[in-house]
Amino acid sequence: MELGRKDDAKVHKMFLDHTGFHLLIALSSTEVLYVNRNGQKVRLLARWKGQLVESVGWNKAQGTESSTGPILVGTAQGHIFEAELSASEGGLFGPAPDLYFRPLYVLNEEGGPAPVCSLEAERGPDGRIFVIATTRQRLFQFIGRAAEGTETQGFLGLFAAYTDHPPPFREFPSSLGYSELAFYTPKLRSAPRAFAWMMGDGVLYGALDNGRPDSLLSEERVWEYPEGVGPGASPPLAIVLTQFHFLLLLADRVEAVCTLTGQVVLRDHFLEKFGPLKHMVKDSSTGHLWAYTERAVFRYHVQREARDVWRTYLDMNRFDLAKEYCRERPDCLDTVLAREAEFCFNQRRYLESARCYALTQSYFEEIALKFLEARQEDALVEFLQRKLASLKPAERTQATLLTTWLTELYLSRLGALQGDPEALNLYWETRERFRAFLSSPRHKEWLFASRASIHELLASHGDTEHMVYFAVIMQDYERVVAYHCQHEAYEEALAVLARHRDPQLFYKFSPILIRHIPRQLVDAWIEMGSRLDARQLIPALVNYSQGGEAQQVSQAIRYMEFCVNVLGETEQAIHNYLLSLYARGQPASLLAYLEHAGASPHRVHYDLKYALRLCAEHGHHRACVHVYKVLELYEEAVDLALQVDVDLAKQCADLPEEDEELRKKLWLKIARHVVQEEEDVQTAMACLASCPLLKIEDVLPFFPDFVTIDHFKEAICSSLKAYNHHIQELQREMEEATASAQRIRRDLQELRGRYGTVEPQDKCATCDFPLLNRPFYLFLCGHMFHADCLLQAVRPGLPAYKQARLEELQRKLGAAPPPTKGSARAKEAEGGAAAGGPSREQLKADLDELVAAECVYCGELMIRSIDRPFIDPQRYEEEHLSWL
């Protein structure tokens, strides 16, 4: 780019804004040129004439591609100006690029105004404005807040606040004749985090804190220049600040100094052929560093600057920062944690040391012994807990060791504190910590795996309270219930069972609980409903009800009735046990239960033989009678019922309805009992009237010889009348049979003379061919069939045995010789047939009986075939294909 100057003016300094669009060129002739990246020419800033510009503070908040916004300009005369530049280019009379240029403040040192070597302006997140300006020996801070609605006025209000009093500043005695300020900004357009001021006594380095009300600078310290660098030797020409280093530009080399230690980490010498170094700057967008001489430009690219920073922070005992910068390097992180743990241990911060040791790979035994020797049980517990939390699922042995050791430590501590009244608060605190350890979700898996050994420890220390607490956490309710039962807290044990509803626990502890709280236990059983198997509760009920007390039996009956009536249990064992309870404790309910169960031996759910024996043992005869009836042992039922009630025996005698002989026998038993045992003739006569199967002659043998006929005169008369009526009925039936026989003889006589006429044109009803061509049959209904056609039509409708008989007759007829009249052979054949088997005529008669007994179209054969398909299913496919 040609500046278009014909005089001897040289470039004094150049200033490029953070966007890269605005460039200021300060000339030695106190003139300033402006170039915009989008512009086409270099423009002179007329308002700036007469000022030798030393520094520019760009407006990062309001600067754009076309406008700089309000900016600060520092001059060699110590003046700070505010200006604004616009990139718009008009014609000959168009607007100038410098919209305004006005003075704001003058920086002074002891001898008067001093050149403004550096200017930086920043805006905080809370709206405050910070301006840092440096001279050769001083660093000034201007801090203020822009008034609302006055953004266009720029920095005027900020500097007006310092008209009456000077701003705060840092001053150092030595001087290079110049100074330079550098900021470190992590990302483009983000707030700077650190600063470095290159001046005569060294480099002032620190952090930038926008939150401080009085100063932007914090954590300040001065790093002296390395050996051979400084005002009297080789003065630094420029400074650039990175995250952990500042780079000093000398005439022949670049030296990089660590901002944490002040040590030189890099010396980069340049060859003389390039000439002396002039300046060095940093690109805020890419982070690249640029250095140039009269003949060349060099670029530094910073890579992995923080790779060894953790060591520096570690040496400074700044462990948090050291861990932050080696988080992705496990070996380095372990070194930092081990050093931090050792540091905290030496500082007697044992808990912090334990937390750090737990994260390291140090030997477990060594660390544990270290805390034991120092008598720091709390720190040891913390170390063990954190080690336990970091174990992998496969490390079960280590987990068992740690959980057991932790439990032992807590129990020992609780035992030591329990008897000391002065340590009561510490005891409760330790107790809560122990319970938190037992109930911790992080340790639940390991505690569950080691629950057996932990229970043994708790038992050895006699700590029953925590034994129950731990069992509840581990859901080891069996141990909890057993503990309550051992201490006779039966209702609490039942409450645990009812809350967790585990059937196996009910089965195990019911024999104990039912002896002490039977009613509550039965209520819990009923509440469980079908989740419990009543068969497994029978042993508990049997042991409980052996005492035979009414309350014991009633509770057992209550649960068995619930199972049978509500749950619908059909198990034989349950019904048998209920029967035994009824037989012993509630005889009145026994017969009702048996009657409700029904009288079908296949539908009752109890064992009939057991029920019979049980009722007989306890003398419940009516129940025995009912069981006999279910077993269909009616004779035994009547015999036993006669010992109880005659009416009950009568009911039993009427039960075998289909067996009249048995009924008669049963009623005879009743009659014999009434006559012989009770000697009650009237009741015997009533029995005779109740059963129509009994006659007076059946009962008479039971009466004694001295009984007169007057007692059963009416019964004898009634019996005689019945016999007379029966004789009359038989006579009437004989007369009807005689008349029927006469009609049959008459019909047979008529049939002998009946005949039918066959015309030559008559055809077979099946094949529709002339009938007279072959042997035929003529039926009274008028249907006519060829003999072979009739045989074919009748055969499918005959039963299997008749079909076999038909085939046999046909075979015999085929084997028999045909008859020949007048021949000796025919007579011999007939004689042989008569001697050795049926004759041909007999075979034909039998064949006619099978085939021609009735018309195949008008007889029962046709009626029976009404549901037969027209086409035989076996021949359906063949028939179907024949029609295609």
Side-chain angles (χ1 to χ4, degrees):
M1 176 179 292
E2 294 289 341
L3 298 182
R5 305 287 297 189
K6 297 181 179 180
D7 53 12
D8 297 333
K10 296 181 179 180
V11 175
H12 176 61
K13 286 186 177 180
M14 293 192 298
F15 308 95
L16 183 67
D17 80 321
H18 63 286
T19 66
F21 279 88
H22 307 282
L23 175 65
L24 294 175
I25 304 172
L27 302 178
S28 58
S29 60
T30 67
E31 294 177 309
V32 180
L33 305 177
Y34 170 66
V35 181
N36 186 270
R37 184 173 180 179
N38 296 328
Q40 299 179 357
K41 59 182 179 179
V42 179
R43 306 174 70 184
L44 177 66
L45 301 180
R47 293 186 176 92
W48 296 41
K49 187 173 179 60
Q51 303 294 335
L52 183 61
V53 177
E54 292 287 342
S55 58
V56 174
W58 298 101
N59 193 330
K60 300 181 180 64
Q62 300 179 22
T64 63
E65 297 178 5
S66 59
S67 173
T68 62
I71 61 174
L72 297 176
V73 179
T75 67
Q77 296 81 16
H79 292 276
I80 296 178
F81 291 87
E82 180 182 17
E84 184 173 0
L85 303 175
S86 175
S88 59
E89 297 183 5
L92 182 62
F93 301 100
D98 48 344
L99 301 180
Y100 61 87
F101 188 75
R102 57 190 175 204
L104 293 178
Y105 201 82
V106 178
L107 296 182
N108 294 302
E109 291 183 351
E110 292 183 357
V116 182
C117 299
S118 298
L119 267 178
E120 292 288 345
E122 295 290 339
R123 185 181 296 269
D126 56 351
R128 291 194 303 166
I129 301 175
F130 305 88
V131 174
I132 297 179
T134 66
T135 61
R136 292 167 295 192
Q137 294 176 287
R138 291 183 179 181
L139 182 148
F140 296 88
Q141 294 185 69
F142 298 88
I143 303 174
R145 189 182 300 275
E148 296 183 0
T150 60
E151 288 190 3
T152 56
Q153 298 179 8
F155 300 94
L156 182 61
L158 172 65
F159 285 92
Y162 294 95
T163 304
D164 299 331
H165 60 86
F169 60 88
R170 304 281 192 278
E171 185 175 12
F172 294 89
S174 300
S175 174
L176 294 171
Y178 55 88
S179 70
E180 185 173 347
L181 182 66
F183 278 4
Y184 167 67
T185 304
K187 297 179 180 179
L188 185 64
R189 297 185 183 278
S190 63
R193 292 185 180 178
F195 75 96
W197 180 36
M198 183 186 72
M199 41 79 180
D201 289 273
V203 176
L204 176 65
Y205 174 79
L208 298 175
D209 187 359
N210 294 331
R212 299 182 62 182
D214 54 343
S215 175
L216 181 64
L217 312 181
S218 65
E219 302 178 14
E220 303 172 47
R221 66 177 303 174
V222 177
W223 291 114
E224 295 182 358
Y225 290 120
E227 184 179 356
V229 179
S234 176
L237 303 177
I239 186 171
V240 171
L241 182 62
T242 62
Q243 185 177 6
F244 297 105
H245 301 85
F246 59 83
L247 284 79
L248 297 175
L249 182 74
L250 305 176
D252 59 345
R253 67 187 182 275
V254 172
E255 294 194 4
V257 180
C258 178
T259 58
L260 301 177
T261 62
Q263 300 296 321
V264 177
V265 298
L266 172 68
R267 281 191 175 91
D268 190 11
H269 291 268
F270 287 76
L271 299 177
E272 295 181 0
K273 65 177 182 179
F274 298 117
L277 290 167
K278 293 296 184 180
H279 199 59
M280 188 175 190
V281 294
K282 179 181 178 181
D283 188 341
S284 58
S285 61
T286 63
H288 293 163
L289 309 179
W290 300 87
Y292 62 90
T293 66
E294 290 287 352
R295 302 185 184 91
V297 176
F298 302 92
R299 184 182 69 178
Y300 287 93
H301 182 51
V302 182
Q303 290 182 334
R304 298 179 60 201
E305 182 183 4
R307 65 181 181 274
D308 292 326
V309 172
W310 67 273
R311 295 185 184 274
T312 304
Y313 280 127
L314 183 62
D315 295 336
M316 298 167 62
N317 292 331
R318 300 181 67 177
F319 302 108
D320 292 339
L321 291 173
K323 287 184 285 187
E324 180 180 351
Y325 287 102
C326 64
R327 193 170 302 278
E328 297 180 357
R329 301 165 66 182
D331 53 338
C332 301
L333 181 61
D334 187 74
T335 303
V336 174
L337 289 171
R339 180 80 68 82
E340 182 182 8
E342 186 69 25
F343 177 81
C344 293
F345 190 89
N346 295 332
Q347 295 291 322
R348 299 183 183 276
R349 292 152 48 191
Y350 296 109
L351 286 177
E352 297 179 28
S353 176
R355 298 187 187 104
C356 293
Y357 271 130
L359 298 174
T360 66
Q361 301 298 322
S362 302
Y363 290 112
F364 173 83
E365 299 84 353
E366 179 183 345
I367 305 304
L369 289 173
K370 195 170 186 177
F371 286 116
L372 285 174
E373 292 174 355
R375 298 183 181 277
Q376 296 297 322
E377 291 188 1
D378 291 341
L380 178 60
V381 168
E382 182 71 19
F383 171 69
L384 295 178
Q385 285 186 347
R386 290 184 176 268
K387 272 294 184 182
L388 180 63
S390 64
L391 291 180
K392 298 178 181 179
E395 298 174 321
R396 295 186 176 274
T397 304
Q398 294 88 330
T400 303
L401 170 66
L402 292 177
T403 52
T404 307
W405 195 358
L406 282 168
T407 305
E408 177 64 30
L409 289 173
Y410 275 120
L411 291 175
S412 300
R413 187 71 182 276
L414 289 173
L417 297 174
Q418 191 170 8
D420 188 358
E422 297 181 358
L424 187 59
N425 293 333
L426 183 57
Y427 169 79
W428 288 108
E429 180 182 349
T430 306
R431 178 177 176 271
E432 291 302 318
R433 287 168 55 194
F434 182 39
R435 291 199 166 197
F437 164 68
L438 294 177
S439 59
S440 172
R442 294 188 305 170
H443 305 147
K444 184 175 182 180
E445 180 182 356
W446 304 126
L447 291 169
F448 182 80
S450 309
R451 63 188 184 280
S453 58
I454 293 176
H455 275 299
E456 291 177 2
L457 277 175
L458 292 169
S460 66
H461 283 265
D463 194 343
T464 55
E465 178 187 4
H466 285 107
M467 185 185 300
V468 174
Y469 179 79
F470 180 65
V472 172
I473 292 174
M474 293 292 105
Q475 298 182 357
D476 189 1
Y477 303 114
E478 179 179 350
R479 196 180 297 271
V480 178
V481 176
Y483 171 79
H484 289 313
C485 290
Q486 290 173 1
H487 292 76
E488 298 183 358
Y490 302 110
E491 293 186 357
E492 295 182 10
L494 181 60
V496 175
L497 290 177
R499 182 166 57 251
H500 299 289
R501 309 171 76 85
D502 187 350
Q504 298 301 324
L505 294 181
F506 271 100
Y507 301 147
K508 183 171 183 177
F509 292 100
S510 289
I512 302 174
L513 297 177
I514 199 170
R515 291 199 300 266
H516 301 89
I517 48 173
R519 183 181 57 80
Q520 296 91 323
L521 180 61
V522 171
D523 290 340
W525 286 351
I526 294 174
E527 182 68 22
M528 287 288 290
S530 59
R531 281 187 284 271
L532 289 178
D533 186 357
R535 295 176 301 175
Q536 301 195 42
L537 296 174
I538 290 179
L541 291 171
V542 170
N543 294 332
Y544 171 67
S545 60
Q546 281 179 350
E549 296 181 5
Q551 180 184 2
Q552 295 174 340
V553 177
S554 64
Q555 294 301 328
I557 290 177
R558 184 161 70 96
Y559 181 65
M560 289 291 104
E561 286 181 340
F562 168 78
C563 294
V564 171
N565 299 329
V566 178
L567 299 182
E569 285 284 354
T570 59
E571 286 292 332
Q572 190 178 80
I574 296 174
H575 287 263
N576 288 345
Y577 182 58
L578 181 58
L579 271 175
S580 67
L581 293 173
Y582 279 146
R584 284 188 297 161
Q586 294 184 9
S589 303
L590 177 60
L591 185 59
Y593 166 77
L594 293 173
E595 292 176 347
H596 182 267
S600 173
H602 305 293
R603 295 185 179 181
V604 297
H605 302 299
Y606 56 86
D607 188 346
L608 291 169
K609 295 180 181 179
Y610 173 76
L612 184 61
R613 180 173 60 82
L614 193 67
C615 296
E617 287 179 357
H618 292 82
H620 303 310
H621 297 304
R622 287 185 177 272
C624 287
V625 171
H626 180 82
V627 177
Y628 276 132
K629 290 191 296 184
V630 177
L631 288 170
E632 298 182 358
L633 300 175
Y634 301 113
E635 294 187 34
E636 289 82 353
V638 170
D639 291 340
L640 186 58
L642 290 174
Q643 301 177 19
V644 180
D645 186 6
V646 175
D647 291 335
L648 179 60
K650 291 179 180 180
Q651 296 175 8
C652 297
D654 283 334
L655 290 177
E657 298 177 354
E658 298 180 358
D659 193 346
E660 292 186 355
E661 183 178 352
L662 179 58
R663 284 178 61 199
K664 183 177 180 180
K665 182 178 180 180
L666 298 176
W667 277 101
L668 285 175
K669 283 178 176 287
I670 297 172
R672 181 187 296 111
H673 174 80
V674 172
V675 172
Q676 294 178 355
E677 300 295 332
E678 300 183 4
E679 296 180 357
D680 188 351
V681 178
Q682 296 298 330
T683 304
M685 293 301 101
C687 290
L688 192 63
S690 300
C691 181
L693 299 177
L694 291 183
K695 306 297 181 184
I696 186 60
E697 59 270 22
D698 298 327
V699 181
L700 282 176
F702 303 145
F703 288 96
D705 295 339
F706 57 81
V707 177
T708 62
I709 198 172
D710 293 338
H711 291 90
F712 39 85
K713 178 180 178 181
E714 294 181 0
I716 293 175
C717 293
S718 176
S719 179
L720 291 174
K721 288 180 181 179
Y723 278 121
N724 187 28
H725 179 71
H726 185 60
I727 291 171
Q728 290 177 359
E729 286 291 331
L730 291 176
Q731 289 177 349
R732 186 178 58 79
E733 290 178 2
M734 290 173 62
E735 292 175 355
E736 290 180 356
T738 302
S740 178
Q742 290 177 356
R743 287 195 300 272
I744 290 173
R745 293 190 192 97
R746 189 167 51 252
D747 290 342
L748 288 174
Q749 195 68 25
E750 293 177 355
L751 284 173
R752 289 195 183 109
R754 292 194 65 177
Y755 63 92
T757 304
V758 178
E759 300 295 336
Q761 66 274 15
D762 288 339
K763 296 181 180 180
C764 174
T766 301
C767 65
D768 205 27
F769 281 93
L771 185 67
L772 297 177
N773 289 349
R774 299 197 300 273
F776 63 88
Y777 288 94
L778 173 63
F779 292 92
L780 295 177
C781 60
H783 287 112
M784 296 172 254
F785 303 92
H786 290 131
D788 55 345
C789 294
L790 181 62
L791 185 64
Q792 186 176 0
V794 170
R795 186 194 301 272
L798 293 177
Y801 72 95
K802 287 189 176 182
Q803 291 185 11
R805 176 61 178 165
L806 181 59
E807 293 177 359
E808 181 182 359
L809 292 174
Q810 288 180 315
R811 188 172 61 254
K812 289 182 178 181
L813 277 175
T820 305
K821 291 184 179 182
S823 64
R825 186 178 298 176
K827 293 179 180 181
E828 292 175 0
E830 290 179 3
S839 63
R840 185 180 180 85
E841 294 299 328
Q842 182 64 40
L843 293 174
K844 291 183 65 177
D846 292 342
L847 183 63
D848 292 342
E849 182 68 25
L850 283 174
V851 177
E854 59 181 356
C855 177
V856 70
Y857 287 171
C858 302
E860 294 183 2
L861 185 61
M862 179 60 68
I863 297 173
R864 289 198 302 268
S865 65
I866 192 67
D867 60 345
R868 187 178 302 163
F870 291 109
I871 301 175
D872 187 357
Q874 299 180 354
R875 299 181 62 253
Y876 179 81
E877 289 296 331
E878 180 183 352
E879 189 69 23
H880 179 262
L881 295 174
S882 67
W883 282 80
L884 296 178

